[in-house]
Amino acid sequence: MKKPSFPLRLLAAFILGAAWPLAFAPFAWWPLAIALLFGLFWLATTEERPQRLAALGAGFGFAAFAAGTSWIAITLHNFANMDWALAGTAVALLAAFCAVYTALALWLAGRFFVGNGRLLALPVLWILVEWARARLFTGFPWL
């Protein structure tokens, strides 16, 4: 079976990330989180370059946080009287910053692990970067 091109895999990571908020409240389709992580981790096994793995993680993370925190733009517009463009930019910047953590997890997996070792390392790395995101720099444990 031929491996899909990198732009297609990046699009797949973005789509998986955009579906990520559905696993949490108010939708609470929690089994979806397992399926989406399985998909992302499978994508991680199709790439050998750590930089491209980081791009896959960043695509997933940006889409997840942009979709999951989009309500913040509404709040900034309605209650802080912020222009829509500025509110959207603020949410995009927050999503981009939070995506650094998912990019880091996949980059570390690609840099230090190969083959089946990568599949074993990815869940551990995922938990570590989620812990770091909740505790370091942002204190943003959502999603």
Side-chain angles (χ1 to χ4, degrees):
M1 183 174 177
K2 185 180 172 193
K3 179 169 67 169
S5 67
F6 180 72
L8 222 61
R9 287 180 280 151
L10 189 58
L11 178 63
F14 194 83
I15 291 168
L16 291 171
W20 183 251
L22 296 173
F24 303 98
F27 305 103
W29 297 343
W30 64 266
L32 186 60
I34 297 167
L36 294 173
L37 283 179
F38 179 82
L40 180 65
F41 293 171
W42 176 80
L43 285 174
T45 64
T46 66
E47 185 58 58
E48 292 303 317
R49 292 187 232 170
Q51 296 85 356
R52 285 192 171 183
L53 281 166
L56 291 174
F60 179 91
F62 181 80
F65 287 104
T69 61
S70 59
W71 62 272
I72 294 175
I74 298 166
T75 304
L76 290 173
H77 174 73
N78 290 345
F79 297 105
N81 296 319
M82 197 177 279
D83 184 64
W84 278 113
L86 188 57
T89 301
V91 170
L93 287 172
L94 175 64
F97 187 77
C98 289
V100 168
Y101 290 95
T102 56
L104 178 64
L106 269 66
W107 181 83
L108 288 169
R111 177 73 175 89
F112 297 107
F113 301 95
V114 294
N116 290 336
R118 186 180 299 168
L119 279 177
L120 294 173
L122 275 167
V124 174
L125 291 170
W126 188 267
I127 290 168
L128 287 174
V129 298
E130 286 293 308
W131 177 85
R133 183 174 53 84
R135 304 287 186 295
L136 305 175
F137 307 119
T138 65
F140 196 73
W142 296 348
L143 296 175

